[in-house]
Amino acid sequence: MSYQIGGRNLKSRFFIGSGKLSSYTVIPKMVEKAGVEVITVAVRRIDPDAKHENVMDFIPEQCVVMVNTSGARSADEAVRIARIGRELTGSDWIKIEVETDAKYLLPDNEETLKAAEILVDEGFQVFPYISPDLVAAKKLEKAGVAAVMPLAAPIGTNKGITCAALLQPIINEIEIPVIIDAGLGRPSHAASAMELGADAVLANTAIATATDPIMMAVAMAKAVEAGRMAYEMGLLAEKDFADASSPLTGFLRRGA
Amino acid sequence: MIYRELLAAEALYQAHKSAVTRTELMAIIDKDYLDRIDYLKLLLTDDLEVLERMARRAHDLTEQYFGKVILLYAPLYLSDYCTNGCTYCGYSLEAGSYERKRLDSEEMRAEMKVLKKAGFDSILLLTGGDRRQSPVAYIADAIRMASMYFSEILLEIYALTRQEYDVVRDAGASGLTLYQETYDRNLYDQVHRYGEKKDYLFRLEAPERAIAAGFKHINIGPLLGLGSAVHDMFMAGIHGDYLQRRYPEVELCLSYPRLRPAGTMAGPSDPVDDIRFVRFILATRLFLPRAGVSISTRENAYVRDHLVGLGMTRMSAGSKTTVGGYAHNCSRPGQFVIDDERSVDEIIAMLRKRGYRPEFCNCVKGIV
């Protein structure tokens, strides 16, 4: 089933990052085998006159390039990096990453909001990467971003959905798509994110550091699909007691 | 301030510089966050089984936070004039007199073109400590020229004042490498016989002046073998931890060149063998999981190859440590003897073979 995001019609709800990959040659294979349609690329990793390899050469034409501003320390830097990114890639999908904390690499929601307001005005499809904060997400939605991208856990930690209680309100209250990004280490984490009601997920570390990145991408993509299917169907509630299939009190209704 | 921090760390070092049991060490390795005493305990142990466990954890942490990627950079020596008397350095006046050289702008351009052609995008500009021969204005000119070719410009020059850091920052430099050499203040005074570098505190506080001027990438470390290696590693870790906590926006990197024959010094007073060297890198990764670790061509090919995946995040390649060495082969003395003479292409092939991607590009040109 296709869905609308950032002015596009997409099928795949599984986005991949390229930063930590051991080789860019796996990108076309992941696109082919896992059906990936959106790939993030850091502007700081694009060297237009690269002698050795340019990541852009490995991204199949049908894919959407989501440019990210990693390395930006302020709204101003993020905005400038975004403009350069659009020029270098021709893509107007911009993931705002402003990290003023190099130790945990947690996003700076305040600077991100400032950058988002400017970039929306400049006609970008803006995807802000944020700490899971409903108030920030609301402000971003009001600013006109295409989606919000709250983290599940600090980037690279593989810890999974560590803050469902903070993510759920965002999913419940925000009308634009919610993409859960960062911290997803296993297919089951991706499935959980989708079961919560996320519109898509993004992963990089889990794939890049897997023994077989392509197979891991396929596994994650399947998990995303399974999670989404279950969410759309309606998840069954968890119960504290076993629920016998034959009612235990049915005998009381005999003859009723 | 950092000096007070180091004094407190000294007390910690004295109180805890005894070895602990294997069980305790294994528990430290499994911790999510290591404290300073944990770090010291890992630096001290010579248990090879502990080392193996540290290696596994360091490998996982490095891949988690840095991916399967190694950033390649090239050093470019601008001038070997130096007015300092450092007993361990080939540039020192103590090393005897040889004809010094300083690149003029045409020579600089020739060097940069060679490095650009080799594919580099991250460059480290170096000079000796001589404010008359390589003044700040000269360095700023070199930075401006380098900005036309490279997106990341790092400096390894003498310590500057805050105002001078503003000048080189405005010229386009974004990173600073500054080795404290040793954190033992008495020894520091002995090995720096004269010259501006003799001022221990001026150097120790330089990274923070650079940060105040807007530098984003700070690389610190000791020259291993000059003083007590464990003590210097411990203090360098404390220095790094201090910078990371105080300036969270800064990308921190550590490197610890091992002292090689140079200058008038016969050899290291506390030699660091490969086992200790690797242990130091692993301990750094466990203590400061997000800090970069840079390894130069001072280290031999065998060691460098095996450090891929064990904590190293940056390496230089195809380096020349002589002034003008890229555009012209010359027999001038370098700052140190290179032990990994492989070409950039050979380093790239080695990384790929090990399942790693060589990365050249780390910054957006014009945005520093």
Side-chain angles (χ1 to χ4, degrees):
Chain A
M1 274 279 280
S2 68
Y3 67 108
Q4 276 273 332
I5 188 164
R8 302 257 190 167
N9 246 323
L10 297 179
K11 284 196 185 74
S12 171
R13 293 176 182 272
F14 180 46
F15 300 0
I16 58 165
S18 56
K20 292 177 176 167
L21 295 173
S22 64
S23 167
Y24 292 139
T25 55
V26 299
I27 294 175
K29 291 175 196 153
M30 287 196 273
V31 169
E32 184 199 328
K33 301 227 153 75
V36 171
E37 291 174 305
V38 178
I39 294 154
T40 66
V41 175
V43 182
R44 67 166 164 167
R45 301 294 188 208
I46 306 172
D47 182 3
D49 35 53
K51 182 199 172 201
H52 299 288
E53 57 180 23
N54 181 351
V55 57
M56 296 306 295
D57 298 338
F58 295 85
I59 301 179
E61 212 159 289
Q62 72 272 23
C63 290
V64 182
V65 174
M66 182 191 272
V67 177
N68 76 55
T69 64
S70 107
R73 258 71 155 191
S74 65
D76 174 59
E77 284 183 5
V79 167
R80 285 155 66 204
I81 294 173
R83 291 175 188 147
I84 294 172
R86 176 156 68 179
E87 216 159 281
L88 290 175
T89 63
S91 171
D92 63 354
W93 274 38
I94 185 86
K95 175 182 166 189
I96 304 179
E97 272 188 62
V98 182
E99 282 132 356
T100 44
D101 171 85
K103 191 170 176 185
Y104 300 94
L105 281 183
L106 292 171
D108 183 328
N109 287 1
E110 201 181 324
E111 289 295 307
T112 301
L113 175 62
K114 283 187 217 161
E117 283 166 345
I118 297 168
L119 293 171
V120 167
D121 269 356
E122 294 186 10
F124 284 90
Q125 296 289 345
V126 179
F127 296 81
Y129 168 57
I130 56 170
S131 278
D133 172 355
L134 175 62
V135 178
K138 280 264 192 198
K139 289 179 184 169
L140 286 160
E141 182 178 38
K142 206 172 155 203
V145 301
V148 288
M149 303 182 75
L151 56 83
I155 194 162
T157 56
N158 296 329
K159 288 186 187 286
I161 311 281
T162 55
C163 46
L166 298 177
L167 290 167
Q168 194 68 69
I170 298 178
I171 291 166
N172 293 350
E173 303 305 325
I174 297 291
E175 284 173 25
I176 53 174
V178 176
I179 303 162
I180 295 186
D181 182 6
L184 305 177
R186 300 173 179 186
S188 56
H189 297 158
S192 300
M194 297 309 291
E195 287 176 5
L196 281 181
D199 293 275
V201 303
L202 191 151
N204 179 14
T205 313
I207 295 171
T209 59
T211 320
D212 182 339
I214 298 159
M215 200 183 280
M216 183 55 97
V218 172
M220 297 281 275
K222 286 186 172 176
V224 166
E225 229 171 278
R228 180 68 194 180
M229 210 183 276
Y231 170 77
E232 283 176 5
M233 195 174 20
L235 291 175
L236 302 175
E238 283 181 17
K239 292 175 185 172
D240 290 333
F241 301 100
D243 195 357
S245 40
S246 312
L248 299 177
T249 55
F251 71 99
L252 295 175
R253 294 194 285 275
R254 194 174 50 171
Chain B
M1 74 185 243
I2 179 60
Y3 189 60
R4 223 176 304 150
E5 192 96 1
L6 292 182
L7 288 180
E10 186 63 45
L12 213 58
Y13 176 80
Q14 295 303 336
H16 294 276
K17 64 180 181 182
S18 52
V20 285
T21 65
R22 179 180 288 177
T23 320
E24 284 173 88
L25 290 166
M26 294 297 195
I28 289 173
I29 295 168
D30 288 336
K31 285 170 80 168
D32 263 351
Y33 299 99
L34 274 65
D35 63 27
R36 295 174 172 198
I37 299 169
D38 294 333
Y39 171 55
L40 178 58
K41 298 295 179 195
L42 295 182
L43 291 173
L44 282 164
T45 178
D46 55 8
D47 186 327
L48 287 177
E49 275 195 42
V50 171
L51 187 74
E52 178 60 23
R53 180 82 81 90
M54 284 168 74
R56 285 172 193 279
R57 179 101 169 104
H59 170 266
D60 290 349
L61 287 170
T62 307
E63 288 203 347
Q64 237 176 292
Y65 294 133
F66 295 89
K68 295 192 143 194
V69 180
I70 299 278
L71 188 90
L72 297 180
Y73 73 93
L76 169 48
Y77 285 77
L78 299 172
S79 166
D80 58 11
Y81 283 93
C82 192
T83 54
N84 290 313
C86 316
T87 56
Y88 51 83
C89 176
Y91 280 3
S92 153
L93 280 182
E94 299 287 294
S97 60
Y98 62 89
E99 201 193 330
R100 306 284 170 147
K101 184 168 173 59
R102 180 185 73 169
L103 298 181
D104 63 27
S105 61
E106 277 325 295
E107 290 167 323
M108 254 180 225
R109 194 179 300 278
E111 295 282 287
M112 289 178 190
K113 280 184 172 167
V114 172
L115 292 173
K116 183 70 190 171
K117 207 170 157 210
F120 287 107
D121 192 46
S122 173
I123 191 173
L124 175 68
L125 301 178
L126 302 94
T127 67
D130 187 332
R131 285 176 170 274
R132 206 165 42 85
Q133 291 292 342
S134 43
V136 172
Y138 167 81
I139 297 167
D141 282 343
I143 296 166
R144 275 187 286 270
M145 184 187 288
S147 321
M148 295 191 274
Y149 298 98
F150 310 100
S151 65
E152 182 172 63
I153 299 161
L154 314 164
L155 300 181
E156 189 177 332
I157 56 173
Y158 48 91
L160 303 183
T161 63
R162 165 64 208 275
Q163 288 74 18
E164 289 169 332
Y165 279 124
D166 283 339
V167 172
V168 288
R169 167 74 171 74
D170 290 345
S174 63
L176 179 72
T177 293
L178 197 78
Y179 297 109
Q180 189 59 32
E181 318 294 9
T182 178
Y183 287 86
D184 176 337
R185 200 170 175 178
N186 289 330
L187 179 69
Y188 186 93
D189 197 53
Q190 287 164 32
V191 297
H192 299 100
R193 293 172 36 86
Y194 47 81
E196 196 181 288
K197 193 169 173 181
K198 206 168 174 58
D199 191 337
Y200 177 86
L201 282 181
F202 185 69
R203 194 170 182 85
L204 185 65
E205 291 167 356
E208 289 173 81
R209 291 195 297 276
I211 292 168
F215 274 73
K216 284 181 168 178
H217 181 96
I218 299 290
N219 189 336
I220 58 164
L223 178 57
L224 285 181
L226 204 52
S228 153
V230 167
H231 181 265
D232 274 337
M233 278 301 302
F234 180 62
M235 291 300 171
I238 299 302
H239 192 178
D241 184 39
Y242 163 87
L243 291 174
Q244 221 173 34
R245 280 185 294 109
R246 198 149 170 150
Y247 310 99
E249 73 283 7
V250 168
E251 201 179 299
L252 176 74
C253 191
L254 282 99
S255 42
Y256 351 86
R258 281 191 278 185
L259 184 60
R260 294 177 56 80
T264 54
M265 195 172 267
S269 66
D270 182 12
V272 175
D273 62 12
D274 289 350
I275 294 180
R276 273 218 295 176
F277 186 61
V278 169
R279 188 200 312 141
F280 290 168
I281 291 168
L282 302 176
T284 305
R285 175 57 59 238
L286 268 59
F287 179 51
L288 302 170
R290 300 264 189 182
V293 171
S294 175
I295 308 283
S296 80
T297 53
R298 269 177 202 248
E299 296 302 330
N300 67 44
Y302 179 80
V303 169
R304 295 218 304 165
D305 290 6
H306 287 87
L307 286 175
V308 174
L310 281 191
M312 174 173 65
T313 58
R314 281 176 180 250
M315 65 198 291
S316 51
S319 301
K320 306 281 185 206
T321 62
T322 49
V323 177
Y326 292 108
H328 305 283
N329 273 327
C330 58
S331 53
R332 306 172 49 74
Q335 193 194 20
F336 59 85
V337 184
I338 289 173
D339 209 349
D340 182 353
E341 296 194 336
R342 288 173 296 176
S343 69
V344 184
D345 289 336
E346 285 171 300
I347 297 287
I348 291 174
M350 176 278 289
L351 289 174
R352 292 215 169 111
K353 203 170 143 208
R354 291 182 167 268
Y356 269 62
R357 181 166 59 79
E359 179 70 79
F360 288 87
C361 204
N362 191 45
C363 288
V364 183
K365 220 180 205 162
I367 301 179
V368 291

mmCIF file of all heavy atoms in Angstrom, chain B residues 16-36:
data_model
loop_
_atom_site.group_PDB
_atom_site.id
_atom_site.type_symbol
_atom_site.label_atom_id
_atom_site.label_comp_id
_atom_site.label_asym_id
_atom_site.label_seq_id
_atom_site.Cartn_x
_atom_site.Cartn_y
_atom_site.Cartn_z
ATOM 1 N N HIS B 16 45.219 5.091 43.233
ATOM 2 C CA HIS B 16 44.679 3.895 42.571
ATOM 3 C C HIS B 16 45.636 3.234 41.604
ATOM 4 O O HIS B 16 45.218 2.449 40.765
ATOM 5 C CB HIS B 16 43.381 4.263 41.830
ATOM 6 C CG HIS B 16 42.280 4.667 42.749
ATOM 7 N ND1 HIS B 16 41.464 3.767 43.364
ATOM 8 C CD2 HIS B 16 41.886 5.884 43.182
ATOM 9 C CE1 HIS B 16 40.597 4.411 44.128
ATOM 10 N NE2 HIS B 16 40.835 5.697 44.039
ATOM 11 N N LYS B 17 46.926 3.567 41.692
ATOM 12 C CA LYS B 17 47.836 3.057 40.672
ATOM 13 C C LYS B 17 48.296 1.620 40.927
ATOM 14 O O LYS B 17 49.368 1.229 40.477
ATOM 15 C CB LYS B 17 49.014 3.999 40.474
ATOM 16 C CG LYS B 17 49.892 4.150 41.674
ATOM 17 C CD LYS B 17 51.041 5.104 41.367
ATOM 18 C CE LYS B 17 51.911 5.210 42.598
ATOM 19 N NZ LYS B 17 53.011 6.116 42.444
ATOM 20 N N SER B 18 47.501 0.855 41.656
ATOM 21 C CA SER B 18 47.847 -0.547 41.852
ATOM 22 C C SER B 18 46.872 -1.408 41.052
ATOM 23 O O SER B 18 45.724 -1.030 40.833
ATOM 24 C CB SER B 18 47.767 -0.893 43.332
ATOM 25 O OG SER B 18 46.509 -0.496 43.811
ATOM 26 N N ALA B 19 47.376 -2.558 40.649
ATOM 27 C CA ALA B 19 46.575 -3.427 39.783
ATOM 28 C C ALA B 19 45.384 -4.021 40.547
ATOM 29 O O ALA B 19 45.394 -4.101 41.766
ATOM 30 C CB ALA B 19 47.447 -4.535 39.238
ATOM 31 N N VAL B 20 44.369 -4.424 39.830
ATOM 32 C CA VAL B 20 43.220 -5.094 40.456
ATOM 33 C C VAL B 20 43.054 -6.483 39.830
ATOM 34 O O VAL B 20 43.754 -6.841 38.889
ATOM 35 C CB VAL B 20 41.916 -4.277 40.282
ATOM 36 C CG1 VAL B 20 41.903 -3.092 41.200
ATOM 37 C CG2 VAL B 20 41.714 -3.850 38.857
ATOM 38 N N THR B 21 42.104 -7.236 40.322
ATOM 39 C CA THR B 21 41.950 -8.608 39.865
ATOM 40 C C THR B 21 41.273 -8.668 38.493
ATOM 41 O O THR B 21 40.611 -7.718 38.074
ATOM 42 C CB THR B 21 41.062 -9.416 40.836
ATOM 43 O OG1 THR B 21 39.758 -8.838 40.788
ATOM 44 C CG2 THR B 21 41.610 -9.369 42.239
ATOM 45 N N ARG B 22 41.436 -9.814 37.862
ATOM 46 C CA ARG B 22 40.827 -10.028 36.547
ATOM 47 C C ARG B 22 39.308 -9.874 36.619
ATOM 48 O O ARG B 22 38.699 -9.254 35.751
ATOM 49 C CB ARG B 22 41.207 -11.424 36.035
ATOM 50 C CG ARG B 22 40.599 -11.733 34.693
ATOM 51 C CD ARG B 22 40.984 -13.114 34.211
ATOM 52 N NE ARG B 22 42.377 -13.188 33.815
ATOM 53 C CZ ARG B 22 42.972 -14.309 33.400
ATOM 54 N NH1 ARG B 22 42.289 -15.437 33.334
ATOM 55 N NH2 ARG B 22 44.228 -14.316 33.046
ATOM 56 N N THR B 23 38.709 -10.416 37.668
ATOM 57 C CA THR B 23 37.247 -10.332 37.803
ATOM 58 C C THR B 23 36.786 -8.877 37.831
ATOM 59 O O THR B 23 35.820 -8.503 37.171
ATOM 60 C CB THR B 23 36.799 -11.012 39.120
ATOM 61 O OG1 THR B 23 37.581 -12.181 39.286
ATOM 62 C CG2 THR B 23 35.340 -11.351 39.101
ATOM 63 N N GLU B 24 37.516 -8.063 38.594
ATOM 64 C CA GLU B 24 37.140 -6.645 38.669
ATOM 65 C C GLU B 24 37.283 -5.979 37.300
ATOM 66 O O GLU B 24 36.442 -5.186 36.888
ATOM 67 C CB GLU B 24 38.025 -5.902 39.673
ATOM 68 C CG GLU B 24 37.666 -6.173 41.122
ATOM 69 C CD GLU B 24 38.673 -5.543 42.077
ATOM 70 O OE1 GLU B 24 38.488 -4.375 42.448
ATOM 71 O OE2 GLU B 24 39.664 -6.226 42.415
ATOM 72 N N LEU B 25 38.356 -6.326 36.593
ATOM 73 C CA LEU B 25 38.599 -5.716 35.282
ATOM 74 C C LEU B 25 37.519 -6.110 34.284
ATOM 75 O O LEU B 25 37.031 -5.290 33.510
ATOM 76 C CB LEU B 25 39.982 -6.117 34.760
ATOM 77 C CG LEU B 25 41.150 -5.484 35.514
ATOM 78 C CD1 LEU B 25 42.455 -6.193 35.179
ATOM 79 C CD2 LEU B 25 41.263 -4.003 35.207
ATOM 80 N N MET B 26 37.139 -7.389 34.318
ATOM 81 C CA MET B 26 36.103 -7.853 33.389
ATOM 82 C C MET B 26 34.791 -7.101 33.653
ATOM 83 O O MET B 26 34.061 -6.769 32.720
ATOM 84 C CB MET B 26 35.884 -9.366 33.532
ATOM 85 C CG MET B 26 37.082 -10.209 33.097
ATOM 86 S SD MET B 26 37.487 -10.020 31.327
ATOM 87 C CE MET B 26 38.572 -11.421 31.062
ATOM 88 N N ALA B 27 34.517 -6.845 34.923
ATOM 89 C CA ALA B 27 33.288 -6.118 35.261
ATOM 90 C C ALA B 27 33.355 -4.678 34.738
ATOM 91 O O ALA B 27 32.352 -4.129 34.278
ATOM 92 C CB ALA B 27 33.079 -6.126 36.776
ATOM 93 N N ILE B 28 34.549 -4.092 34.809
ATOM 94 C CA ILE B 28 34.716 -2.721 34.296
ATOM 95 C C ILE B 28 34.415 -2.681 32.797
ATOM 96 O O ILE B 28 33.719 -1.792 32.305
ATOM 97 C CB ILE B 28 36.162 -2.211 34.553
ATOM 98 C CG1 ILE B 28 36.377 -1.947 36.042
ATOM 99 C CG2 ILE B 28 36.452 -0.944 33.738
ATOM 100 C CD1 ILE B 28 37.812 -1.605 36.425
ATOM 101 N N ILE B 29 34.938 -3.674 32.089
ATOM 102 C CA ILE B 29 34.772 -3.689 30.626
ATOM 103 C C ILE B 29 33.303 -3.747 30.236
ATOM 104 O O ILE B 29 32.898 -3.174 29.232
ATOM 105 C CB ILE B 29 35.555 -4.891 30.021
ATOM 106 C CG1 ILE B 29 37.047 -4.696 30.258
ATOM 107 C CG2 ILE B 29 35.259 -5.058 28.532
ATOM 108 C CD1 ILE B 29 37.900 -5.911 29.971
ATOM 109 N N ASP B 30 32.504 -4.418 31.047
ATOM 110 C CA ASP B 30 31.082 -4.558 30.716
ATOM 111 C C ASP B 30 30.235 -3.345 31.097
ATOM 112 O O ASP B 30 29.051 -3.294 30.771
ATOM 113 C CB ASP B 30 30.505 -5.814 31.400
ATOM 114 C CG ASP B 30 31.032 -7.077 30.727
ATOM 115 O OD1 ASP B 30 31.426 -6.987 29.547
ATOM 116 O OD2 ASP B 30 31.071 -8.133 31.387
ATOM 117 N N LYS B 31 30.835 -2.396 31.785
ATOM 118 C CA LYS B 31 30.041 -1.233 32.217
ATOM 119 C C LYS B 31 29.645 -0.363 31.025
ATOM 120 O O LYS B 31 30.369 -0.269 30.042
ATOM 121 C CB LYS B 31 30.850 -0.373 33.208
ATOM 122 C CG LYS B 31 30.947 -0.973 34.591
ATOM 123 C CD LYS B 31 31.939 -0.229 35.443
ATOM 124 C CE LYS B 31 31.353 1.056 36.023
ATOM 125 N NZ LYS B 31 32.235 1.613 37.089
ATOM 126 N N ASP B 32 28.498 0.293 31.144
ATOM 127 C CA ASP B 32 28.053 1.210 30.095
ATOM 128 C C ASP B 32 28.879 2.490 30.102
ATOM 129 O O ASP B 32 29.216 3.041 29.066
ATOM 130 C CB ASP B 32 26.566 1.564 30.297
ATOM 131 C CG ASP B 32 25.683 0.686 29.435
ATOM 132 O OD1 ASP B 32 26.232 -0.040 28.589
ATOM 133 O OD2 ASP B 32 24.451 0.713 29.625
ATOM 134 N N TYR B 33 29.156 2.988 31.296
ATOM 135 C CA TYR B 33 29.945 4.209 31.426
ATOM 136 C C TYR B 33 31.087 3.959 32.400
ATOM 137 O O TYR B 33 30.839 3.558 33.530
ATOM 138 C CB TYR B 33 29.079 5.368 31.930
ATOM 139 C CG TYR B 33 27.953 5.693 30.981
ATOM 140 C CD1 TYR B 33 26.670 5.216 31.206
ATOM 141 C CD2 TYR B 33 28.186 6.465 29.840
ATOM 142 C CE1 TYR B 33 25.635 5.500 30.321
ATOM 143 C CE2 TYR B 33 27.161 6.755 28.952
ATOM 144 C CZ TYR B 33 25.887 6.268 29.196
ATOM 145 O OH TYR B 33 24.874 6.550 28.324
ATOM 146 N N LEU B 34 32.305 4.186 31.953
ATOM 147 C CA LEU B 34 33.457 3.973 32.818
ATOM 148 C C LEU B 34 33.811 5.278 33.523
ATOM 149 O O LEU B 34 33.729 6.351 32.920
ATOM 150 C CB LEU B 34 34.674 3.528 31.989
ATOM 151 C CG LEU B 34 34.801 2.026 31.712
ATOM 152 C CD1 LEU B 34 33.672 1.539 30.839
ATOM 153 C CD2 LEU B 34 36.146 1.714 31.066
ATOM 154 N N ASP B 35 34.213 5.169 34.805
ATOM 155 C CA ASP B 35 34.687 6.384 35.465
ATOM 156 C C ASP B 35 36.210 6.454 35.345
ATOM 157 O O ASP B 35 36.837 5.587 34.747
ATOM 158 C CB ASP B 35 34.181 6.465 36.917
ATOM 159 C CG ASP B 35 34.711 5.337 37.785
ATOM 160 O OD1 ASP B 35 35.813 4.808 37.481
ATOM 161 O OD2 ASP B 35 34.048 4.974 38.781
ATOM 162 N N ARG B 36 36.777 7.487 35.929
ATOM 163 C CA ARG B 36 38.213 7.729 35.757
ATOM 164 C C ARG B 36 39.068 6.636 36.366
ATOM 165 O O ARG B 36 40.114 6.279 35.820
ATOM 166 C CB ARG B 36 38.566 9.097 36.353
ATOM 167 C CG ARG B 36 37.898 10.213 35.584
ATOM 168 C CD ARG B 36 38.084 11.567 36.216
ATOM 169 N NE ARG B 36 37.565 12.577 35.291
ATOM 170 C CZ ARG B 36 37.851 13.862 35.340
ATOM 171 N NH1 ARG B 36 38.639 14.317 36.293
ATOM 172 N NH2 ARG B 36 37.355 14.699 34.456
#
